[in-house]
Amino acid sequence: MLYILRVCVGNAFVSFIGSEDRTPKKRFSEVQKERREQAQRTVLIHCPNKISEKKFLKYLSQHGPVNSHFFYESFGLYAVVEFSQKESVVSLQNVTRTPSLGTEAAIPFRSRYFNLKLKTPLNQTSEQSSIQCRNQSSPSSKKLFELLCCAESVDDQLNTLLREFQLTEENSKLRYLTCSLIEDVAAAYFPGCTVRPFGSSVNSFGKLGCDLDMFLDLDEIENFSTHKASGNFLMEFQVKNVPSERIATQKILSVIGECLDHFGPGCVGVQKILNARCPLVRFSHQASGFQCDLTTNNRIALKSSELLYIYGALDSRVRALVFSIRCWARAHSLTSSIPGAWITNFSLTVMVIFFLQRRSPPILPTLDYLKTLADRELQPFALLHISVPSPEVALSSCLLSLPGERPHDHGREDTPSPKACLVNATFSVGKRPEIGGGSQCSVTVRHAEDKCIIEGHNCTFVRDFNRIKPSGNAETLELLLKEFFEYFGNFAFNKNSINIRQGREQNKPESSPLHIQNPFETSLNVSKNVSQSQLQKFIDLARESAWILHQEDRDRLSPSNNQPWGLAALLLPSVANSTSLAKKKKKPASERIKNLLESIKSSSTENSTAANG
Ligand code: CTP
Ligand code: MG
């Protein structure tokens, strides 16, 4: 008999995460791998406006089975078609010709982005089934207001906004496909390279229409060569040397930028921004409509995307709150698509995470806590055979033999915690004379899988959600929204820094108006660009929004119909206008609001004390 156990040991075992959404979620790396592989089997086709979907699919199926497809509109009709096998793409490419353009000349670049033409136009209307196009953009403000005003509660409003703005399955596919198409171009120079999406396209906080951040990952090419080294010989490529890593990055991006500009189908408006702190190539991918930012070897940013993805998956309130705060900030021009002294969406997301870490009990764990749950490096034993009477005894013996299980090891920062180790144990009952019979047990201990050091920065944290306990906090989204505005309306930005690693305020190490520590490159401030006046605008709007929500609480018994309420009221430009009007008065409105809020709070505390008394 063979028992295979997969045991997550100790107090870290939790099956499902999130207060509402109880479906287990995939690891970030699994999602990335699956989506990437899916994208490699997918093609993008510009179609004639009038097309028979049935015939179109029949035509493509000649090259192999089609797994899925969808159409969308973006200055023309496009189809995204996912084949079951990569070979089908090659087969399709083999029957595709390079167009002859009359006076112009075509550059014969064989990509996975095609143009479908009809040999004879469709003339029977019956042939044209009506094609359902998938929407790739977020709802208009008018539609959003209608939806928000029809919602049943503020919580419902926040969840509605999330539902309407989050990336759809199709939009995510299109993002991975676009990266995969750019990878094909880059692979002409660097075979085996990978172009990975990061930022809001993959961190679960992306809104329809957000930019597509991607980076050219050349690490795997380097790792490949080290694996192959064997014997006494070590083969190295002859390469060109340049004075610094930065210059290497600039040279690579410069050439890829040129290539995208000259040969990349659908890539327009290519700008090489090579003198930025993080050099990049910016371009529009016309067919998908994405504004793309291509960088290189940006693994830390990918890691921070993974961290945000985990935070977004831990509790269903996180994404709803982040989307609403981002939307509120956009509505009041606190954020902008143009780079400048404004707060960015990334900074706002980190602020929401920090706020949720500060609740009592906390809704989100600190990054340091996620680090303690990570797989730790154990002494090198991968497989252990022991002879024991039963699987249960075997398991406890195995655990006892794990380093760190000895009682005196507990509680020490530097010793591995076996409570957080994943153990694969295989038991077989039968005789093994050489070890005295009984059951045999093979134990495999995971070796610091989560450990991740990038450019000297420790980016280790647990990547398996199942090890993170859900929060016992049951606060409503309405309360959290109000408290968020109050919290940051009163935050001591002048002396404190926001730090999600420790989940508490730190003294500001430098004098930028807003200091938010980069979770991994801890000496960096992610909001270094933010000016004092932009920060003040944020504070003023936060106070006014807290005030509006408080007022609504009081008026709840007599709601006036036809008036935007809850989140809808916060998104109205009138909040911003009232701020600018108030500025003309002697005492700033936000100070008055702050004082009023404090007095409301203290009177409600007195009332409740009196009631209790
Ligand atoms: N990033 C960072 N430090 C910054 C700015 C950005 O580490 N000061 C990383 C973050 O991982 C971020 C990613 O770069 O998610 C992409 O940056 P950006 O496009 O500005 O933010 P997004 O999170 O993608 O949000 P948006 O939807 O506004 O694009
Ligand atoms: Mg982005």
mmCIF file of all heavy atoms in Angstrom, residues 224-269:
data_model
loop_
_atom_site.group_PDB
_atom_site.id
_atom_site.type_symbol
_atom_site.label_atom_id
_atom_site.label_comp_id
_atom_site.label_asym_id
_atom_site.label_seq_id
_atom_site.Cartn_x
_atom_site.Cartn_y
_atom_site.Cartn_z
ATOM 1 N N PHE A 224 20.699 29.324 -18.318
ATOM 2 C CA PHE A 224 20.797 28.190 -19.216
ATOM 3 C C PHE A 224 22.263 27.777 -19.388
ATOM 4 O O PHE A 224 22.619 26.618 -19.243
ATOM 5 C CB PHE A 224 20.177 28.589 -20.568
ATOM 6 C CG PHE A 224 20.231 27.498 -21.596
ATOM 7 C CD1 PHE A 224 19.393 26.395 -21.509
ATOM 8 C CD2 PHE A 224 21.115 27.574 -22.645
ATOM 9 C CE1 PHE A 224 19.450 25.389 -22.449
ATOM 10 C CE2 PHE A 224 21.169 26.569 -23.598
ATOM 11 C CZ PHE A 224 20.333 25.473 -23.502
ATOM 12 N N SER A 225 23.147 28.751 -19.586
ATOM 13 C CA SER A 225 24.539 28.403 -19.838
ATOM 14 C C SER A 225 25.208 27.812 -18.588
ATOM 15 O O SER A 225 26.024 26.921 -18.701
ATOM 16 C CB SER A 225 25.309 29.618 -20.327
ATOM 17 O OG SER A 225 25.170 30.663 -19.407
ATOM 18 N N THR A 226 24.810 28.259 -17.374
ATOM 19 C CA THR A 226 25.457 27.710 -16.179
ATOM 20 C C THR A 226 25.063 26.256 -15.955
ATOM 21 O O THR A 226 25.854 25.452 -15.526
ATOM 22 C CB THR A 226 25.145 28.529 -14.907
ATOM 23 O OG1 THR A 226 23.747 28.757 -14.866
ATOM 24 C CG2 THR A 226 25.903 29.818 -14.845
ATOM 25 N N HIS A 227 23.772 25.922 -16.295
ATOM 26 C CA HIS A 227 23.326 24.542 -16.091
ATOM 27 C C HIS A 227 24.125 23.563 -16.947
ATOM 28 O O HIS A 227 24.336 22.433 -16.577
ATOM 29 C CB HIS A 227 21.843 24.398 -16.458
ATOM 30 C CG HIS A 227 20.947 25.011 -15.431
ATOM 31 N ND1 HIS A 227 21.095 24.766 -14.095
ATOM 32 C CD2 HIS A 227 19.900 25.869 -15.546
ATOM 33 C CE1 HIS A 227 20.182 25.443 -13.429
ATOM 34 N NE2 HIS A 227 19.445 26.132 -14.283
ATOM 35 N N LYS A 228 24.509 24.029 -18.111
ATOM 36 C CA LYS A 228 25.160 23.115 -19.050
ATOM 37 C C LYS A 228 26.641 22.843 -18.702
ATOM 38 O O LYS A 228 27.237 21.963 -19.272
ATOM 39 C CB LYS A 228 25.094 23.694 -20.475
ATOM 40 C CG LYS A 228 23.686 23.787 -21.022
ATOM 41 C CD LYS A 228 23.241 22.466 -21.582
ATOM 42 C CE LYS A 228 21.711 22.435 -21.615
ATOM 43 N NZ LYS A 228 21.125 21.233 -22.064
ATOM 44 N N ALA A 229 27.182 23.628 -17.769
ATOM 45 C CA ALA A 229 28.603 23.448 -17.457
ATOM 46 C C ALA A 229 28.832 22.086 -16.812
ATOM 47 O O ALA A 229 28.162 21.724 -15.862
ATOM 48 C CB ALA A 229 29.050 24.549 -16.517
ATOM 49 N N SER A 230 29.759 21.317 -17.352
ATOM 50 C CA SER A 230 30.047 20.031 -16.721
ATOM 51 C C SER A 230 31.517 19.683 -16.963
ATOM 52 O O SER A 230 32.162 20.248 -17.843
ATOM 53 C CB SER A 230 29.137 18.946 -17.299
ATOM 54 O OG SER A 230 29.427 18.791 -18.653
ATOM 55 N N GLY A 231 32.023 18.745 -16.132
ATOM 56 C CA GLY A 231 33.416 18.338 -16.257
ATOM 57 C C GLY A 231 34.354 19.475 -15.898
ATOM 58 O O GLY A 231 33.976 20.408 -15.186
ATOM 59 N N ASN A 232 35.527 19.410 -16.426
ATOM 60 C CA ASN A 232 36.536 20.414 -16.068
ATOM 61 C C ASN A 232 36.525 21.611 -17.005
ATOM 62 O O ASN A 232 37.310 22.525 -16.864
ATOM 63 C CB ASN A 232 37.923 19.741 -16.067
ATOM 64 C CG ASN A 232 38.899 20.552 -15.248
ATOM 65 O OD1 ASN A 232 38.493 21.284 -14.347
ATOM 66 N ND2 ASN A 232 40.166 20.448 -15.571
ATOM 67 N N PHE A 233 35.623 21.539 -17.985
ATOM 68 C CA PHE A 233 35.579 22.632 -18.970
ATOM 69 C C PHE A 233 34.435 23.583 -18.682
ATOM 70 O O PHE A 233 33.363 23.172 -18.243
ATOM 71 C CB PHE A 233 35.387 22.067 -20.385
ATOM 72 C CG PHE A 233 36.580 21.305 -20.869
ATOM 73 C CD1 PHE A 233 36.533 19.925 -20.976
ATOM 74 C CD2 PHE A 233 37.750 21.975 -21.209
ATOM 75 C CE1 PHE A 233 37.630 19.213 -21.413
ATOM 76 C CE2 PHE A 233 38.859 21.264 -21.658
ATOM 77 C CZ PHE A 233 38.801 19.880 -21.753
ATOM 78 N N LEU A 234 34.676 24.808 -18.936
ATOM 79 C CA LEU A 234 33.626 25.811 -18.791
ATOM 80 C C LEU A 234 33.649 26.669 -20.046
ATOM 81 O O LEU A 234 34.663 27.298 -20.349
ATOM 82 C CB LEU A 234 33.893 26.671 -17.549
ATOM 83 C CG LEU A 234 32.861 27.731 -17.226
ATOM 84 C CD1 LEU A 234 31.527 27.082 -16.848
ATOM 85 C CD2 LEU A 234 33.348 28.580 -16.052
ATOM 86 N N MET A 235 32.563 26.602 -20.775
ATOM 87 C CA MET A 235 32.519 27.338 -22.038
ATOM 88 C C MET A 235 31.802 28.660 -21.834
ATOM 89 O O MET A 235 30.750 28.703 -21.210
ATOM 90 C CB MET A 235 31.759 26.491 -23.066
ATOM 91 C CG MET A 235 32.005 26.861 -24.484
ATOM 92 S SD MET A 235 33.643 26.366 -25.044
ATOM 93 C CE MET A 235 33.285 24.816 -25.835
ATOM 94 N N GLU A 236 32.391 29.732 -22.334
ATOM 95 C CA GLU A 236 31.744 31.036 -22.229
ATOM 96 C C GLU A 236 31.579 31.618 -23.625
ATOM 97 O O GLU A 236 32.379 31.357 -24.510
ATOM 98 C CB GLU A 236 32.596 32.000 -21.405
ATOM 99 C CG GLU A 236 32.533 31.750 -19.928
ATOM 100 C CD GLU A 236 33.332 32.775 -19.124
ATOM 101 O OE1 GLU A 236 34.161 33.499 -19.707
ATOM 102 O OE2 GLU A 236 33.116 32.822 -17.914
ATOM 103 N N PHE A 237 30.521 32.431 -23.781
ATOM 104 C CA PHE A 237 30.359 33.113 -25.062
ATOM 105 C C PHE A 237 31.361 34.256 -25.151
ATOM 106 O O PHE A 237 31.675 34.899 -24.157
ATOM 107 C CB PHE A 237 28.948 33.696 -25.186
ATOM 108 C CG PHE A 237 27.906 32.657 -25.467
ATOM 109 C CD1 PHE A 237 26.990 32.287 -24.496
ATOM 110 C CD2 PHE A 237 27.845 32.047 -26.717
ATOM 111 C CE1 PHE A 237 26.027 31.323 -24.752
ATOM 112 C CE2 PHE A 237 26.884 31.079 -26.987
ATOM 113 C CZ PHE A 237 25.979 30.712 -26.000
ATOM 114 N N GLN A 238 31.837 34.478 -26.362
ATOM 115 C CA GLN A 238 32.601 35.698 -26.616
ATOM 116 C C GLN A 238 31.589 36.828 -26.645
ATOM 117 O O GLN A 238 30.586 36.733 -27.345
ATOM 118 C CB GLN A 238 33.297 35.612 -27.982
ATOM 119 C CG GLN A 238 34.481 34.718 -28.003
ATOM 120 C CD GLN A 238 35.716 35.388 -27.395
ATOM 121 O OE1 GLN A 238 35.683 36.573 -27.092
ATOM 122 N NE2 GLN A 238 36.775 34.618 -27.203
ATOM 123 N N VAL A 239 31.806 37.845 -25.851
ATOM 124 C CA VAL A 239 30.833 38.947 -25.824
ATOM 125 C C VAL A 239 31.545 40.289 -25.916
ATOM 126 O O VAL A 239 32.755 40.378 -25.730
ATOM 127 C CB VAL A 239 29.982 38.932 -24.527
ATOM 128 C CG1 VAL A 239 28.998 37.788 -24.520
ATOM 129 C CG2 VAL A 239 30.867 38.897 -23.285
ATOM 130 N N LYS A 240 30.747 41.314 -26.173
ATOM 131 C CA LYS A 240 31.279 42.679 -26.121
ATOM 132 C C LYS A 240 31.110 43.190 -24.708
ATOM 133 O O LYS A 240 30.085 42.940 -24.076
ATOM 134 C CB LYS A 240 30.476 43.570 -27.059
ATOM 135 C CG LYS A 240 30.785 43.340 -28.505
ATOM 136 C CD LYS A 240 30.942 44.670 -29.208
ATOM 137 C CE LYS A 240 31.441 44.413 -30.628
ATOM 138 N NZ LYS A 240 31.896 45.577 -31.290
ATOM 139 N N ASN A 241 32.078 43.906 -24.209
ATOM 140 C CA ASN A 241 31.954 44.454 -22.857
ATOM 141 C C ASN A 241 31.675 45.949 -22.919
ATOM 142 O O ASN A 241 32.165 46.644 -23.798
ATOM 143 C CB ASN A 241 33.257 44.247 -22.079
ATOM 144 C CG ASN A 241 33.501 42.775 -21.838
ATOM 145 O OD1 ASN A 241 32.555 41.993 -21.803
ATOM 146 N ND2 ASN A 241 34.762 42.396 -21.691
ATOM 147 N N VAL A 242 30.872 46.402 -21.965
ATOM 148 C CA VAL A 242 30.610 47.843 -21.854
ATOM 149 C C VAL A 242 30.907 48.250 -20.408
ATOM 150 O O VAL A 242 30.960 47.390 -19.527
ATOM 151 C CB VAL A 242 29.158 48.201 -22.247
ATOM 152 C CG1 VAL A 242 28.944 48.069 -23.726
ATOM 153 C CG2 VAL A 242 28.154 47.368 -21.477
ATOM 154 N N PRO A 243 31.124 49.554 -20.144
ATOM 155 C CA PRO A 243 31.606 49.951 -18.814
ATOM 156 C C PRO A 243 30.651 49.683 -17.653
ATOM 157 O O PRO A 243 31.087 49.580 -16.517
ATOM 158 C CB PRO A 243 31.838 51.463 -18.957
ATOM 159 C CG PRO A 243 31.918 51.727 -20.416
ATOM 160 C CD PRO A 243 31.105 50.682 -21.093
ATOM 161 N N SER A 244 29.334 49.607 -17.891
ATOM 162 C CA SER A 244 28.438 49.389 -16.735
ATOM 163 C C SER A 244 27.169 48.676 -17.173
ATOM 164 O O SER A 244 26.836 48.623 -18.360
ATOM 165 C CB SER A 244 28.055 50.727 -16.099
ATOM 166 O OG SER A 244 27.193 51.427 -16.980
ATOM 167 N N GLU A 245 26.475 48.154 -16.151
ATOM 168 C CA GLU A 245 25.196 47.465 -16.356
ATOM 169 C C GLU A 245 24.195 48.421 -17.024
ATOM 170 O O GLU A 245 23.446 48.040 -17.909
ATOM 171 C CB GLU A 245 24.678 47.045 -14.970
ATOM 172 C CG GLU A 245 23.616 45.977 -14.941
ATOM 173 C CD GLU A 245 24.112 44.614 -15.398
ATOM 174 O OE1 GLU A 245 25.174 44.141 -14.917
ATOM 175 O OE2 GLU A 245 23.442 44.054 -16.258
ATOM 176 N N ARG A 246 24.246 49.681 -16.566
ATOM 177 C CA ARG A 246 23.318 50.681 -17.100
ATOM 178 C C ARG A 246 23.545 50.907 -18.607
ATOM 179 O O ARG A 246 22.597 50.964 -19.380
ATOM 180 C CB ARG A 246 23.491 51.984 -16.315
ATOM 181 C CG ARG A 246 22.540 53.078 -16.741
ATOM 182 C CD ARG A 246 22.663 54.296 -15.837
ATOM 183 N NE ARG A 246 21.969 55.429 -16.412
ATOM 184 C CZ ARG A 246 20.672 55.664 -16.307
ATOM 185 N NH1 ARG A 246 19.909 54.818 -15.633
ATOM 186 N NH2 ARG A 246 20.124 56.724 -16.853
ATOM 187 N N ILE A 247 24.803 50.951 -18.981
ATOM 188 C CA ILE A 247 25.108 51.161 -20.398
ATOM 189 C C ILE A 247 24.665 49.944 -21.211
ATOM 190 O O ILE A 247 24.104 50.077 -22.304
ATOM 191 C CB ILE A 247 26.606 51.494 -20.606
ATOM 192 C CG1 ILE A 247 26.899 52.830 -19.914
ATOM 193 C CG2 ILE A 247 26.985 51.537 -22.087
ATOM 194 C CD1 ILE A 247 28.345 53.261 -19.929
ATOM 195 N N ALA A 248 24.849 48.760 -20.634
ATOM 196 C CA ALA A 248 24.399 47.537 -21.323
ATOM 197 C C ALA A 248 22.887 47.619 -21.544
ATOM 198 O O ALA A 248 22.388 47.370 -22.658
ATOM 199 C CB ALA A 248 24.759 46.318 -20.496
ATOM 200 N N THR A 249 22.158 48.004 -20.484
ATOM 201 C CA THR A 249 20.697 48.135 -20.578
ATOM 202 C C THR A 249 20.320 49.140 -21.661
ATOM 203 O O THR A 249 19.436 48.884 -22.490
ATOM 204 C CB THR A 249 20.154 48.635 -19.212
ATOM 205 O OG1 THR A 249 20.484 47.665 -18.238
ATOM 206 C CG2 THR A 249 18.666 48.849 -19.226
ATOM 207 N N GLN A 250 21.004 50.277 -21.672
ATOM 208 C CA GLN A 250 20.684 51.323 -22.649
ATOM 209 C C GLN A 250 20.928 50.836 -24.074
ATOM 210 O O GLN A 250 20.126 51.085 -24.968
ATOM 211 C CB GLN A 250 21.520 52.579 -22.373
ATOM 212 C CG GLN A 250 21.055 53.311 -21.119
ATOM 213 C CD GLN A 250 22.005 54.409 -20.698
ATOM 214 O OE1 GLN A 250 23.213 54.313 -20.935
ATOM 215 N NE2 GLN A 250 21.488 55.420 -20.029
ATOM 216 N N LYS A 251 22.010 50.102 -24.251
ATOM 217 C CA LYS A 251 22.333 49.620 -25.606
ATOM 218 C C LYS A 251 21.292 48.605 -26.078
ATOM 219 O O LYS A 251 20.833 48.657 -27.216
ATOM 220 C CB LYS A 251 23.729 48.990 -25.619
ATOM 221 C CG LYS A 251 24.830 50.049 -25.618
ATOM 222 C CD LYS A 251 26.179 49.413 -25.885
ATOM 223 C CE LYS A 251 27.307 50.433 -25.820
ATOM 224 N NZ LYS A 251 27.356 51.287 -27.010
ATOM 225 N N ILE A 252 20.937 47.705 -25.168
ATOM 226 C CA ILE A 252 19.956 46.665 -25.537
ATOM 227 C C ILE A 252 18.618 47.321 -25.888
ATOM 228 O O ILE A 252 18.022 47.053 -26.931
ATOM 229 C CB ILE A 252 19.788 45.646 -24.381
ATOM 230 C CG1 ILE A 252 21.071 44.835 -24.204
ATOM 231 C CG2 ILE A 252 18.599 44.730 -24.626
ATOM 232 C CD1 ILE A 252 21.143 44.010 -22.934
ATOM 233 N N LEU A 253 18.165 48.229 -25.009
ATOM 234 C CA LEU A 253 16.860 48.856 -25.247
ATOM 235 C C LEU A 253 16.872 49.724 -26.505
ATOM 236 O O LEU A 253 15.876 49.823 -27.205
ATOM 237 C CB LEU A 253 16.435 49.686 -24.033
ATOM 238 C CG LEU A 253 15.905 48.869 -22.850
ATOM 239 C CD1 LEU A 253 15.551 49.783 -21.690
ATOM 240 C CD2 LEU A 253 14.664 48.059 -23.244
ATOM 241 N N SER A 254 18.015 50.332 -26.750
ATOM 242 C CA SER A 254 18.104 51.187 -27.927
ATOM 243 C C SER A 254 17.879 50.357 -29.199
ATOM 244 O O SER A 254 17.105 50.738 -30.081
ATOM 245 C CB SER A 254 19.486 51.847 -27.934
ATOM 246 O OG SER A 254 19.650 52.533 -29.115
ATOM 247 N N VAL A 255 18.528 49.205 -29.251
ATOM 248 C CA VAL A 255 18.419 48.358 -30.446
ATOM 249 C C VAL A 255 17.016 47.751 -30.560
ATOM 250 O O VAL A 255 16.418 47.728 -31.642
ATOM 251 C CB VAL A 255 19.514 47.269 -30.409
ATOM 252 C CG1 VAL A 255 19.258 46.222 -31.470
ATOM 253 C CG2 VAL A 255 20.877 47.903 -30.608
ATOM 254 N N ILE A 256 16.473 47.300 -29.431
ATOM 255 C CA ILE A 256 15.120 46.707 -29.481
ATOM 256 C C ILE A 256 14.112 47.800 -29.874
ATOM 257 O O ILE A 256 13.175 47.552 -30.639
ATOM 258 C CB ILE A 256 14.725 46.095 -28.108
ATOM 259 C CG1 ILE A 256 15.751 45.068 -27.660
ATOM 260 C CG2 ILE A 256 13.311 45.516 -28.134
ATOM 261 C CD1 ILE A 256 15.632 43.705 -28.213
ATOM 262 N N GLY A 257 14.337 49.006 -29.352
ATOM 263 C CA GLY A 257 13.456 50.133 -29.702
ATOM 264 C C GLY A 257 13.473 50.388 -31.196
ATOM 265 O O GLY A 257 12.436 50.540 -31.836
ATOM 266 N N GLU A 258 14.682 50.404 -31.768
ATOM 267 C CA GLU A 258 14.825 50.603 -33.219
ATOM 268 C C GLU A 258 14.086 49.512 -33.980
ATOM 269 O O GLU A 258 13.380 49.767 -34.949
ATOM 270 C CB GLU A 258 16.309 50.517 -33.627
ATOM 271 C CG GLU A 258 17.151 51.708 -33.238
ATOM 272 C CD GLU A 258 16.797 52.947 -34.032
ATOM 273 O OE1 GLU A 258 16.805 52.863 -35.274
ATOM 274 O OE2 GLU A 258 16.506 53.975 -33.395
ATOM 275 N N CYS A 259 14.275 48.294 -33.498
ATOM 276 C CA CYS A 259 13.693 47.143 -34.183
ATOM 277 C C CYS A 259 12.162 47.219 -34.137
ATOM 278 O O CYS A 259 11.485 46.980 -35.145
ATOM 279 C CB CYS A 259 14.208 45.871 -33.505
ATOM 280 S SG CYS A 259 13.852 44.419 -34.448
ATOM 281 N N LEU A 260 11.609 47.582 -32.971
ATOM 282 C CA LEU A 260 10.154 47.703 -32.860
ATOM 283 C C LEU A 260 9.657 48.794 -33.798
ATOM 284 O O LEU A 260 8.628 48.662 -34.454
ATOM 285 C CB LEU A 260 9.757 48.051 -31.417
ATOM 286 C CG LEU A 260 9.896 46.927 -30.394
ATOM 287 C CD1 LEU A 260 9.600 47.449 -28.996
ATOM 288 C CD2 LEU A 260 8.944 45.779 -30.720
ATOM 289 N N ASP A 261 10.421 49.876 -33.851
ATOM 290 C CA ASP A 261 10.026 51.013 -34.672
ATOM 291 C C ASP A 261 10.024 50.632 -36.160
ATOM 292 O O ASP A 261 9.087 50.937 -36.897
ATOM 293 C CB ASP A 261 11.014 52.161 -34.406
ATOM 294 C CG ASP A 261 10.467 53.482 -34.882
ATOM 295 O OD1 ASP A 261 9.264 53.537 -35.186
ATOM 296 O OD2 ASP A 261 11.235 54.458 -34.944
ATOM 297 N N HIS A 262 11.070 49.938 -36.584
ATOM 298 C CA HIS A 262 11.206 49.650 -38.004
ATOM 299 C C HIS A 262 10.473 48.391 -38.462
ATOM 300 O O HIS A 262 9.959 48.342 -39.566
ATOM 301 C CB HIS A 262 12.686 49.535 -38.390
ATOM 302 C CG HIS A 262 13.420 50.836 -38.218
ATOM 303 N ND1 HIS A 262 13.025 51.987 -38.824
ATOM 304 C CD2 HIS A 262 14.512 51.149 -37.481
ATOM 305 C CE1 HIS A 262 13.841 52.977 -38.482
ATOM 306 N NE2 HIS A 262 14.754 52.485 -37.656
ATOM 307 N N PHE A 263 10.473 47.370 -37.610
ATOM 308 C CA PHE A 263 9.942 46.081 -38.078
ATOM 309 C C PHE A 263 8.730 45.579 -37.295
ATOM 310 O O PHE A 263 8.094 44.619 -37.707
ATOM 311 C CB PHE A 263 11.022 44.979 -37.999
ATOM 312 C CG PHE A 263 12.331 45.349 -38.626
ATOM 313 C CD1 PHE A 263 13.532 44.986 -38.034
ATOM 314 C CD2 PHE A 263 12.365 46.051 -39.833
ATOM 315 C CE1 PHE A 263 14.752 45.321 -38.614
ATOM 316 C CE2 PHE A 263 13.574 46.389 -40.422
ATOM 317 C CZ PHE A 263 14.770 46.034 -39.805
ATOM 318 N N GLY A 264 8.476 46.134 -36.125
ATOM 319 C CA GLY A 264 7.419 45.580 -35.260
ATOM 320 C C GLY A 264 6.032 45.916 -35.788
ATOM 321 O O GLY A 264 5.621 47.067 -35.738
ATOM 322 N N PRO A 265 5.284 44.907 -36.298
ATOM 323 C CA PRO A 265 3.958 45.205 -36.833
ATOM 324 C C PRO A 265 3.062 45.769 -35.726
ATOM 325 O O PRO A 265 3.013 45.221 -34.630
ATOM 326 C CB PRO A 265 3.437 43.842 -37.290
ATOM 327 C CG PRO A 265 4.599 42.924 -37.281
ATOM 328 C CD PRO A 265 5.590 43.473 -36.319
ATOM 329 N N GLY A 266 2.427 46.884 -36.015
ATOM 330 C CA GLY A 266 1.488 47.467 -35.039
ATOM 331 C C GLY A 266 2.136 48.303 -33.953
ATOM 332 O O GLY A 266 1.438 48.859 -33.112
ATOM 333 N N CYS A 267 3.480 48.407 -33.943
ATOM 334 C CA CYS A 267 4.133 49.202 -32.893
ATOM 335 C C CYS A 267 4.365 50.610 -33.443
ATOM 336 O O CYS A 267 5.112 50.780 -34.401
ATOM 337 C CB CYS A 267 5.473 48.593 -32.491
ATOM 338 S SG CYS A 267 5.278 46.943 -31.837
ATOM 339 N N VAL A 268 3.728 51.594 -32.842
ATOM 340 C CA VAL A 268 3.865 52.973 -33.346
ATOM 341 C C VAL A 268 4.256 53.917 -32.207
ATOM 342 O O VAL A 268 4.137 53.564 -31.024
ATOM 343 C CB VAL A 268 2.546 53.468 -34.004
ATOM 344 C CG1 VAL A 268 2.198 52.668 -35.237
ATOM 345 C CG2 VAL A 268 1.392 53.446 -33.012
ATOM 346 N N GLY A 269 4.731 55.083 -32.595
ATOM 347 C CA GLY A 269 5.087 56.119 -31.605
ATOM 348 C C GLY A 269 6.189 55.663 -30.668
ATOM 349 O O GLY A 269 6.134 55.927 -29.459
#
